[in-house]
Structures are given as C-alpha cells and as structure tokens.
C-alpha cells in the first residue's frame, strides 16, 4: 500500500454495527490505537455472539423462492418477558468445522479441555468471555435502521446513524466519522428460482424450507427428504436427517460430494432440481429422473449479501447479493474509506481473519498506513472481478493462511503501533489444509475427540517442510 499524496483521516468517533466476532475484534484493534475518542458497538440481540448466539425457535419467515438482496429483513421474535430475538442459522447439535487452535482469536485460546471441534455452546461461551472487557461499549437490543453519508464543511465524509432501541421504540441519530459494518451475512436466505417452485410451495407450504430454519431432525422422521446443497452445513444437516428419514436421503447437488462424506451421510446423490411437479408432490431432476410423494426439501443453498441500513449509498453496494461492489481488498470502501466491511470472504477461518482485517483499517484510520490512490484501488477491483468471476468473495484454498501471515509480516516491517495481528506457524497452516478430513473423522468417532492426534492426524514438521508450496497471494494483500 502507498500513495504519493496519502489521504489524511480525522477519525474520532466510530460506530461498529454488530457484536459478533468481527465486530468485537474490530473494537479491540481500534481501542489499541489509543487515538479514537468514542467507539460504540450496536447489537440488535441482547447478547454478543452474532451467528453463534443460538435461538431454539427459528424465524417464522420463509420466502420461496428467494433471490433478492433487497428482501425485507426477517422480523424478530417476541418471547414473553424478554427482549426481541433475531434467530440465527445455528441448529441444536453443531460443532465448528475448524480445529480450536486454528479458530481461536490470537490472544485468547479456547480452554484446554475443549473438544478439538468445539460445540456451538462452547463457541458462544468463548465469544461472551472474549467480549468481557468491552461490554461497556455495546448497546444491546439496538437495531441500526439507517446509515446516511454526508460531507462536513471541510468536505470530509460523515455518517449519520439512526438506531432503534427495541425495548422502548426510541430512535436516536448520532454522527460518526467512520463505520465498521460487521453485521454478518447469514441472514438473507437464497432459494433459487426453479420452474413451478412458487406454485409448489403454495400448494404444499410445509415441504420446502431453508437450512436457516433447521434446528433438529425429528420433523424428518420417516419422511422422504431431499437436501439441496453440499457445503459444510448441507453435509452436516443431511447427515442428521438421514439418521431418521426414509432411506436413502437424496442429496441434490451441482458438484459431487466427496465419497467419504457421502458414505457418512448415507445418502444418494442426485442432480439439480429443474422442475417442481405440483400435483405429484414431486420434482424432476436434470436428466429427467422424477421423484414423487416428497415430504421434505431443505435448501442448504446459502445466503445473499445485503445491507438494508445502507440503502441510500450510491452506487449500490449489491445487485443480486452475490458480491459487494466498490471495495478494496474485500474490505475498504474505495470512494468512502471510512466505511469498512470485515468478514465478507467465504471459505476463510473467520476469527483470526477478521482480526487481521481490523489490524489494517485501525492503523489506516490512525494515519499509520496510507491507502493507494482511488484509481489504483478501482483498478485492483476491476482486475479481481475479471479473475474471480461470479464467486467473487470465495477465497482459494490457503488464501486465508497466506493473507494472515503476509499482513503480519507487512505490519511488523512497517513498525506501526497497534495491536499485533495473528500469525499461523507451520503446524497451524498444516491444520488449515487437513481439517475438512479431520472433521469427518471427528463425526464418525462420536464427536468426543479433544485433539487431532486422537483422530489419526499427527503433524510431522519434516514432512511439512518437504511438502511446502507457495500459493500466490498478490491479489489477496
């Protein structure tokens, strides 16, 4: 990074939207700069945790199909005598698919007696504990409704933030110099448009659902079921459903599921659904195969990027919800760099990754790391769009490892003050390469292992040295 005439920031007041892991990490790195006067975290739930904050009751809202990034946010649930709840995608029995030593924040290890793949309960406890020293910054049960950009008399960007206190209905407007958007991207569901899907859902309203609404497998007992999608959550949910459903569970996928995972699920892989058959309560797959009398279909097809509180920002941040436009390094808004979006990339290890991002923008706003020119940043985005294609925010294998370590070395050489960013040694990089297989073994062995060695995965430094390869990261840093 560098520029002949670096932009000078005058950031004193900062709003962070979201008290999940990314928002909490942002706060800690910003505080460590010791130059910002006021940092406020807005959190719509009554506790920290973001997606890890579990609600036994799922949302009551389901749109079929759902392909719009401008779909209205799901309204909260209103449990009697408690603050409003915005249900996350967490389900009852869930373990992270990342080993705890790799997943943890750089300055806070998981308890030593933790499972190697911690349960959702353990992760939530861990995040709550991580937030202890910054809870006083958090405004709980407060929903950010709108963020509007304007310029002050000196031409500097200012952000007017409207925040609704959910328990009283009071709306306050406060002006900030910078905004961290750490609101997550696991809320606006994606269910593709398929021939007759809307008519099918209207005629059979209890068959199609989305993984966001899944909690336990009991509903699927003895039912003829299809799971659409084979990402991490799709595989996990399919395995749970398959234990109780009619056999075989059908897995409708674009690309093949790894054979070992398909065997563990106990399912049968089928092509993409190309048509819903309303009268037969069935589906036709690509290739012509028909299945009738379907009882349940779970779409584990992911989510769209959406920012309903930034709808006035022009040009728009999103179009179809598959990508966020106008960002440098998937993070910093090019035209308005006092607006950042940590945690957008997919297929990365999120806690240390967002720490690394926070180490960058906290130093940038403190005028320690200059940004390139607007022209250079826009050129970078255009070139990346050409290279990455449709899956813009899906990072390559070991992309996160290289990013984390290269930024660590870069910041170290820069001599800038601030909180130290994470660093992965060779063993952690090795863990990053094998954890998909290790998680499967963890499930097969009954979800009780506390180390990778118990699962048959032992780090060999000599073997690691001989296998060392370099993954290009010029486009990631």
């Amino acid at each position: 990074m560098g520029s002949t005439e670096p932009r000078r920031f005058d950031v004193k007041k900062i709003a962070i939207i979201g008290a999940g892991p990314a928002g909490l990490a942002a706060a800690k790195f910003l505080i460590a700069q010791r130059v910002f006067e006021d940092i406020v975290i807005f959190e719509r739930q009554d506790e920290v945790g973001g997606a890890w904050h579990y609600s036994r009751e799922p949302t009551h809202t389901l749109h079929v199909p759902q392909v719009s990034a401008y779909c209205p946010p799901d309204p909260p649930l209103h449990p009697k005598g408690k603050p409003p709840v915005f249900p996350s995608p967490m389900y009852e029995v869930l373990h992270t698919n990342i080993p705890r030593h790799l997943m943890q924040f750089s300055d806070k290890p998981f308890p030593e007696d933790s499972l190697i793949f911690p349960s959702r309960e353990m992760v939530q406890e861990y995040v709550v504990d991580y937030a202890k020293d910054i809870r006083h910054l958090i405004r709980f049960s407060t929903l950010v409704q709108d963020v509007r950009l304007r310029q002050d008399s000196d031409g500097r960007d200012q952000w007017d933030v409207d925040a609704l206190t959910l328990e009283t209905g009071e709306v306050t407007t406060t002006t900030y110099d910078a905004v961290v958007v750490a609101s997550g991207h696991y809320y606006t569901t994606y269910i593709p448009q398929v021939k007759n899907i809307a008519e099918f859902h209207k005629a059979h309203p209890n068959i199609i659902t989305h993984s966001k609404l899944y909690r336990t497998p009991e509903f699927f007992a003895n039912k003829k079921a299809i799971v659409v999608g084979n990402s991490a959550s799709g595989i996990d949910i399919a395995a749970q459903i398959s234990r109780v459903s009619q056999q075989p569970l059908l897995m409708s996928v674009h690309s093949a599921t790894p054979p070992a995972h398909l065997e563990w699920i106990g399912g049968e892989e089928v092509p993409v659904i190309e048509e819903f058959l309303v009268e037969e309560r069935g589906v036709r797959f690509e290739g012509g195969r028909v299945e009738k009398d379907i009882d349940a279909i779970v779409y584990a097809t992911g989510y769209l990027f959406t920012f309903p509180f930034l709808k006035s920002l022009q040009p728009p941040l999103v179009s179809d919800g598959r990508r966020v436009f106008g960002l440098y390094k998937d993070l910093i808004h090019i035209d308005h760099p006092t607006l950042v979006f940590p945690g957008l990339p997919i297929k990365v290890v999120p806690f240390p990754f967002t720490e690394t991002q926070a180490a960058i923008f906290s130093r940038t706003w403190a005028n320690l790391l200059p940004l390139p020119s607007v022209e250079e940043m826009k050129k970078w985005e255009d070139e990346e769009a050409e290279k990455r294609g449709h899956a813009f925010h899906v990072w390559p294998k070991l992309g996160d490892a290289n990013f984390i370590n290269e930024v660590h070395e870069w910041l170290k050489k820069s001599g800038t003050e601030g909180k130290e960013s994470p660093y992965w040694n060779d063993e952690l990089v090795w863990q990053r390469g094998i954890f998909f297989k290790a998680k499967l073994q963890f499930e097969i062995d009954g979800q009780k292992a506390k180390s990778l060695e118990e699962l048959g995965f032992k780090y060999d430094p000599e073997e690691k040295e001989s296998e060392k390869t370099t993954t290009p990261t010029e486009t990631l840093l």
Side-chain angles (χ1 to χ4, degrees):
M1 286 185 176
S3 174
T4 54
E5 295 182 11
R7 184 192 307 240
R8 294 287 298 178
F9 293 96
D10 186 22
V11 174
K12 299 299 181 187
K13 296 180 65 176
I14 301 170
I16 299 173
I17 303 174
L24 299 173
K28 295 203 174 191
F29 277 81
L30 289 165
I31 290 168
Q33 293 305 134
R34 301 185 180 183
V35 295
F36 307 117
E37 295 174 359
D38 187 19
I39 299 170
V40 176
I41 307 172
F42 295 99
E43 173 51 56
R44 62 182 183 172
Q45 307 273 36
D46 65 347
E47 185 53 274
V48 303
W52 291 100
H53 185 42
Y54 177 67
S55 162
R56 184 179 296 274
E57 185 176 0
T59 179
H60 298 170
T61 304
L62 178 67
H63 303 279
V64 180
Q66 204 320 87
V67 296
S68 172
Y70 295 93
C71 179
D74 295 352
L77 306 180
H78 293 275
K80 189 174 181 180
K82 295 181 180 179
V85 173
F86 296 83
S88 82
M90 286 289 135
Y91 40 95
E92 181 68 25
V93 179
L94 181 149
H95 293 81
T96 178
N97 59 346
I98 305 169
R100 59 183 171 87
H101 301 96
L102 197 63
M103 181 177 183
Q104 66 196 21
F105 290 111
S106 59
D107 57 354
K108 184 175 179 57
F110 276 93
E112 273 306 310
D113 63 345
S114 303
L115 296 173
I116 187 63
F117 294 97
S119 67
R120 63 160 181 81
E121 296 94 335
M122 170 57 74
V123 176
Q124 176 63 8
E125 289 175 16
Y126 171 85
V127 175
V128 169
D129 197 49
Y130 178 75
K132 277 194 308 188
D133 58 341
I134 54 173
R135 288 187 76 91
H136 62 287
L137 303 178
I138 306 171
R139 296 183 186 175
F140 289 106
S141 297
T142 302
L143 176 68
V144 172
Q145 292 185 315
D146 197 24
V147 177
R148 297 179 303 283
L149 170 67
R150 61 179 174 83
Q151 277 72 43
D152 66 12
S153 57
D154 295 324
R156 294 184 186 274
D157 286 349
Q158 299 279 277
W159 303 94
D160 294 330
V161 177
D162 292 348
L164 168 67
T165 303
L166 292 166
E167 295 187 72
T168 66
E170 179 186 7
V171 177
T172 58
T173 301
T174 310
T175 302
Y176 295 91
D177 303 309
V179 176
V180 179
V181 180
S183 52
H185 49 83
Y186 296 110
Y187 291 98
T188 301
T189 58
Y190 172 71
I191 296 179
Q193 176 66 262
V194 180
K195 185 178 180 180
N196 297 333
I197 190 173
E199 294 82 355
F200 183 97
H201 184 60
K202 184 176 181 180
H204 312 288
N206 298 315
I207 291 181
I208 297 176
T209 188
H210 188 277
S211 58
K212 181 182 178 182
L213 283 70
Y214 175 80
R215 291 297 182 268
T216 64
E218 284 77 16
F219 170 82
F220 301 89
N222 302 313
K223 292 187 175 182
K224 185 174 183 178
I226 302 173
V227 173
V228 181
N230 59 351
S231 64
S233 61
I235 288 173
D236 201 25
I237 290 170
Q240 293 186 16
I241 291 174
S242 181
R243 304 296 181 262
V244 301
S245 67
Q246 281 186 30
Q247 297 299 309
L249 173 79
L250 300 180
M251 291 280 292
S252 174
V253 300
H254 279 282
S255 55
T257 307
H261 287 77
L262 190 60
E263 181 181 353
W264 172 60
I265 292 168
E268 178 187 350
E269 207 159 72
V270 293
V272 172
I273 297 172
E274 68 175 12
E275 182 181 1
F276 281 83
L277 309 173
V278 179
E279 292 186 9
E280 296 94 332
R281 211 175 77 226
V283 298
R284 177 178 287 109
F285 299 103
E286 288 183 354
R289 175 176 169 177
V290 170
E291 289 289 339
K292 301 178 181 179
D293 301 317
I294 301 297
D295 299 309
I297 301 174
V298 180
Y299 271 92
T301 41
Y303 301 84
L304 300 175
F305 294 105
T306 181
F307 307 97
F309 45 83
L310 279 164
K311 55 184 174 288
S312 64
L313 190 64
Q314 295 296 326
L317 289 164
V318 296
S319 56
D320 63 1
R322 298 302 188 94
R323 171 189 165 188
V324 184
F325 290 89
L327 303 187
Y328 180 59
K329 304 296 185 182
D330 299 57
L331 175 63
I332 299 170
H333 197 279
I334 294 171
D335 290 328
H336 307 288
T338 50
L339 181 67
V340 296
F341 297 81
L344 293 184
I346 298 165
K347 294 192 176 179
V348 301
V349 177
F351 292 13
F353 186 88
T354 53
E355 282 187 289
T356 299
Q357 292 182 308
I360 295 171
F361 64 74
S362 62
R363 286 166 169 82
T364 297
W365 290 345
N367 294 306
L368 299 176
L369 293 175
L371 289 172
S373 68
V374 170
E375 292 73 24
E376 288 177 282
M377 292 191 285
K378 287 185 175 179
K379 181 183 177 185
W380 176 89
E381 186 189 23
D382 291 341
E383 291 175 349
E384 286 305 300
E386 192 72 27
K387 293 175 189 174
R388 299 185 190 184
H390 189 62
F392 187 86
H393 295 297
V394 180
W395 277 32
K397 185 176 181 180
L398 293 182
D400 51 0
N402 291 312
F403 175 76
I404 286 168
N405 285 355
E406 289 194 0
V407 170
H408 178 90
E409 293 299 329
W410 172 52
L411 295 180
K412 191 175 178 181
K413 288 177 183 175
S414 76
T416 53
E417 295 181 359
K419 186 173 171 62
E420 184 178 3
S421 69
Y423 180 81
W424 285 353
N425 62 24
D426 284 349
E427 183 172 359
L428 290 177
V429 174
W430 167 79
Q431 288 190 17
R432 181 66 181 90
I434 58 92
F435 74 63
F436 187 62
K437 293 179 180 178
K439 175 64 189 307
L440 174 60
Q441 195 60 48
F442 174 81
E443 297 289 344
I444 291 171
D445 287 2
Q447 304 174 336
K448 58 182 185 296
K450 294 188 177 181
S451 70
L452 290 172
E453 287 81 357
E454 290 176 54
L455 300 172
F457 295 85
K458 185 171 177 59
Y459 174 65
D460 183 344
E462 294 183 7
E463 182 180 330
K464 171 66 184 159
E465 198 63 35
S466 67
E467 291 179 352
K468 222 176 238 186
T469 59
T470 301
T471 301
T473 58
E474 185 181 348
T475 61
L476 301 179
L477 182 59

